[in-house]
Amino acid sequence: NGNQTSSQVLIGPALAAPVGLLAAIAIPNFVKARTTAQKNACIHNLRQIDGAKEQWALENRKTQGTSTAGFEAAINAFLRAAPACPGGGRYTYHAVGTNPRCSLGSSNGHTL
């Protein structure tokens, strides 16, 4: 508008470059941190499911290898709430004595 001094014209681009550089560094780190947090939360959920499954098997006199199909709700009763993978995966309980699995699986590190 004609009221800017030459120093004001030079300061604008000089400040924009470092801010852009910091954003280019920070954004991928935030994405990686979020992915790692989701993976760790999923692993924690898998441990909780495994413990609830073992408790259910003990209280119902189920042996190793017994299928848990159809008993997911009963197993979830040992948890405060049915777990959900923060990454959007789905849990499969599997038989007693076998680790539960997340549908995101080993490709994303969502394994017990």
Side-chain angles (χ1 to χ4, degrees):
N1 62 13
N3 294 332
Q4 293 180 337
T5 64
S6 61
S7 64
Q8 290 174 325
V9 172
L10 295 175
I11 289 175
L15 290 176
V19 170
L21 181 65
L22 287 174
I25 293 170
I27 291 172
N29 288 333
F30 287 135
V31 170
K32 183 179 177 187
R34 185 182 67 195
T35 303
T36 301
Q38 287 177 344
K39 178 186 78 162
N40 290 338
C42 182
I43 291 169
H44 175 74
N45 286 346
L46 290 170
R47 284 190 186 116
Q48 294 295 319
I49 291 169
D50 192 47
K53 185 171 66 169
E54 294 299 323
Q55 186 68 30
W56 169 82
L58 182 66
E59 288 188 11
N60 292 284
R61 296 186 178 108
K62 304 294 182 184
T63 58
Q64 297 290 321
T66 301
S67 174
T68 59
F71 294 105
E72 289 85 358
I75 293 169
N76 286 340
F78 289 92
L79 304 168
R80 289 186 181 190
C85 177
R90 303 194 76 191
Y91 295 127
T92 307
Y93 287 40
H94 292 288
V96 175
T98 306
N99 288 337
R101 294 210 170 100
C102 177
S103 62
L104 297 180
S106 59
S107 63
N108 291 330
H110 291 231
T111 57
L112 195 62

